[in-house]
Amino acid sequence: MPPWGLLLCFLALAAYPLSALEPVQKAFDQPLPIPPLMTGTRAGGETIYELTAKTGSRILFQDTDTPTYGYNGEYLGPTLRLRRGDQVRIRVHNSLEETTTVHWHGMEVPGPADGGPHQGIRAGAGWEARFTVDQPAATLWYHPHPLGHTARQVYMGLAGLIIIEDETSDSLGIPKSYGSNDIPLVIQDRRFQADGSFSYGVTMPDLMHGLVGDTYLVNGAIKPALSVGKELLRFRLLNGSNSSIYRFSFSDDSSFAQIASDGGFLKQPVGMSTLILSPGERAEILVDLQNRTAGESLFLITETFQGFRDEVLKIVVESEQSDSGKAGNPIPKRLTSIAKIPEANARKTRHFDLETMGRGGMGMMGGGGLTINGRKMDMRRIDAEVQAGSTEVWELFNTPTGMMEIPHSFHLHGVQFQILDINGKAPPSGESGWKDTVLLWPGDRVRIIIPFREFPGIYMYHCHLLEHEDEGMMGQFEVVP
Ligand SMILES: [Cu+2]
């Protein structure tokens, strides 16, 4: 069980006064924005997508503009819908005045297409990622990954969802009407300056705890509302925050069914009434509103372990049934098959100590303690050489410091893995499928088993608390033939 509340006393440093800004919209007055769906254009056997990273501004508060970054728009980016088996070419143009990259979080792609720190796109320049989609239906996402500047660029608004479809997602009787009963939810938190701009100034406590905001954005809007029919709803949740760990629930304690984790569908739906996602993690859930009364509403609640709890989205059940919904839609009993990878397949075991205070407590000031195996990220150093196509077990350990207990969120590029155990116990059902990011509470030991792909290239592994990543809590593995 996560030490919810237990950590509270250590985190009093993260408290700060609420902003005096007046939101331009009354709470739950504006409709939930839905990121536009981009299905690509077909040419020469490829599906082509175009993204431009650009500056913009958004009116969130009265009498003020909030300067932002976005892909193809002022904040966030379009949802890229990819099809398994497709050859994809994504053209990226950088209209920012700084170097950026675009990383496809969760995509199993060759190293040069991964969009990590090695694929920098200078201001005014372009870049293309080409790959074949070869993994199950899933909700993934994309975001910048330039060395040392990821956190601020994401904070400014650079992020978008990726949806992969395949025969399994086609065949399942689940909601599929994007923006109507299949709803993407990018949840983030932000701090604002008095002039309405994002407050991205990293102080010492921010470095250790990550930057935690007091205002929630759902798809870029503060406290939006969503009108739905009396139907079964599918939400694709992304914790798109820099460093907050969210516990999601509904205001009436409704139960819901988790149907997918980071890398795709679970074997079967898992019933629950709360769901925890660390930065970078996704989940798809089904919420059954078929027996609700018209006019009823409920709220999506987000709670952080720092003690911030807020109603972030209002869901209003309309009297009319939506076009896409059919009464009496059951939640499927089975979703997909997932072959459990036998531990005996692993040809190597590696250990990774995630250290908040550094070894021997040295070098804590300035975030010098945030390391993996005592090292900070160095582009010139390959930390692990991995045989293409081999399977490995990685043992992750969030080293307790005794003084400041900080969770970490471990992410590997270019692969989907399975969790073998968390502190010696099998993972909960919702984490028994494909994963690319895993939360480690202080003192946690997590063993994951990773079937590496055949693609050669250099990839990152890192803490997905973005302030930690930028501080060097990252390493490189190279897949070699
Ligand atoms: Cu971390």
Side-chain angles (χ1 to χ4, degrees), residues 59-365:
I59 298 170
L60 295 169
F61 302 103
Q62 286 172 20
D63 310 317
T64 174
D65 276 0
T66 301
T68 54
Y69 288 177
Y71 295 108
N72 300 5
E74 78 266 27
Y75 190 83
L76 297 178
T79 298
L80 310 183
R81 188 161 70 189
L82 316 182
R83 178 94 204 157
R84 187 173 194 175
D86 276 4
Q87 286 183 350
V88 162
R89 183 195 293 253
I90 309 177
R91 296 190 177 123
V92 181
H93 180 73
N94 179 10
S95 288
L96 305 173
E97 289 177 357
E98 58 181 306
T99 295
T100 190
T101 82
V102 187
H103 165 58
W104 323 104
H105 180 127
M107 290 293 309
E108 301 175 43
V109 298
D114 182 60
H118 293 274
Q119 286 89 44
I121 315 166
R122 288 196 314 276
W127 175 70
E128 277 191 359
R130 297 176 70 182
F131 53 86
T132 301
V133 181
D134 183 22
Q135 64 191 96
T139 303
L140 313 178
W141 65 302
Y142 59 96
H143 64 77
H145 217 300
L147 190 70
H149 299 283
T150 296
R152 189 181 42 81
Q153 291 191 4
V154 172
Y155 210 79
M156 289 298 289
L158 291 177
L161 288 172
I162 301 172
I163 293 175
I164 302 179
E165 302 287 7
D166 68 0
E167 287 176 2
T168 302
S169 63
D170 289 349
S171 69
L172 286 171
I174 54 175
K176 293 172 193 172
S177 179
Y178 179 82
S180 168
N181 60 10
D182 176 358
I183 316 279
L185 295 179
V186 180
I187 323 282
Q188 302 170 307
D189 53 75
R190 294 290 182 266
R191 288 184 210 170
F192 293 91
Q193 311 258 31
D195 66 358
S197 61
F198 292 126
S199 177
Y200 196 81
V202 178
T203 63
M204 181 63 197
D206 295 335
L207 262 187
M208 304 311 284
H209 305 295
L211 204 103
V212 172
D214 59 354
T215 304
Y216 291 93
L217 299 180
V218 184
N219 297 348
I222 301 170
K223 290 191 186 287
L226 173 69
S227 290
V228 297
K230 291 169 63 171
E231 60 186 326
L232 189 60
L233 285 181
R234 176 184 187 181
F235 289 113
R236 299 175 189 258
L237 293 165
L238 162 66
N239 180 341
S241 77
N242 275 38
S243 286
S244 293
I245 296 161
Y246 295 141
R247 178 164 62 181
F248 293 105
S249 61
F250 290 98
S251 49
D252 58 359
D253 289 322
S254 287
S255 60
F256 51 89
Q258 185 184 352
I259 57 167
S261 56
D262 298 334
F265 290 114
L266 301 168
K267 274 192 201 170
Q268 58 233 352
V270 178
M272 54 185 66
S273 57
T274 63
L275 170 72
I276 293 171
L277 293 180
S278 67
E281 286 185 299
R282 290 86 60 211
E284 294 181 32
I285 62 171
L286 296 181
V287 185
D288 192 351
L289 300 178
Q290 293 172 106
N291 299 316
R292 297 287 175 144
T293 312
E296 217 178 308
S297 59
L298 64 161
F299 295 89
L300 176 66
I301 307 264
T302 297
E303 200 176 349
T304 68
F305 71 90
Q306 285 90 342
F308 299 116
R309 185 181 189 280
D310 208 353
E311 295 169 335
V312 298
L313 172 71
K314 184 180 189 181
I315 302 161
V316 185
V317 182
E318 297 279 309
S319 53
E320 304 284 324
Q321 197 168 291
S322 93
D323 299 342
S324 48
K326 280 191 300 230
N329 268 348
I331 293 175
K333 290 208 164 49
R334 285 199 54 79
L335 298 163
T336 193
S337 57
I338 298 174
K340 200 171 172 200
I341 307 166
E343 213 179 313
N345 286 12
R347 58 182 282 162
K348 199 170 175 62
T349 298
R350 299 179 200 262
H351 302 265
F352 296 87
D353 287 342
L354 312 181
E355 291 161 318
T356 303
M357 305 278 281
R359 296 209 163 142
M362 301 281 285
M364 176 192 153
M365 293 311 291

Side-chain angles (χ1 to χ4, degrees), residues 370 406-409 463-465 468-469 473:
L370 289 160
I406 307 289
H408 298 292
S409 176
C463 180
H464 219 288
L465 272 66
H468 291 183
E469 175 191 325
M473 203 168 188

